[in-house]
Each structure stands twice: as structure tokens, then as C-alpha cells.
Amino acid sequence: MARGNQRDKAREKNQEKLAGQKNKNGMTGSEQQREKDKVAAIMQAKQAAALAKKEADGKK
């Protein structure tokens, strides 16, 4: 049981490190929804462009 104290010290150090880290997500719910909608619109535009290109290539 010589390692018990070492484990406890490592656990305390890790808890302090995690507490010191800033939360990566600072957006509110409405901001997250706006961002999600914006990304969805971009992806839909890309999909439409890819489909149009595919159809144009197929008609040649």
C-alpha cells in the first residue's frame, strides 16, 4: 500500500488542473442553435452544388 498516497496526490493534482481549465463551450443555447442552422445551410448549399455538378457531368 505504498502507492496509495501517490495515487491520491495525482488525483488531487488532476482535479486542480481540470478545475483550472476554461470551459470550451461558452455559447448559450440560442447561439448554439444559430451556429447549427448556419452550418446546416452551408452544407445544404454544398450538397446542391455537388448534385448540380453531378447532373451536368452526366448530361455531357
Side-chain angles (χ1 to χ4, degrees):
M1 199 136 180
R3 294 179 51 106
N5 188 33
Q6 183 180 8
R7 231 179 258 126
D8 290 340
K9 292 287 186 182
R11 188 176 294 122
E12 288 174 10
K13 184 178 177 183
N14 190 36
Q15 288 295 324
E16 289 175 6
K17 185 178 94 171
L18 292 175
Q21 289 180 345
K22 185 177 179 182
N23 188 2
K24 292 181 182 179
N25 187 2
M27 290 192 283
T28 64
S30 59
E31 290 173 334
Q32 287 177 346
Q33 187 62 41
R34 277 195 301 268
E35 184 67 23
K36 186 177 177 182
D37 291 342
K38 185 176 97 174
V39 171
I42 292 169
M43 290 305 297
Q44 288 173 352
K46 285 183 178 182
Q47 287 174 344
L51 183 60
K53 182 180 178 184
K54 185 176 179 182
E55 288 177 356
D57 288 343
K59 291 183 180 180
K60 285 185 178 179

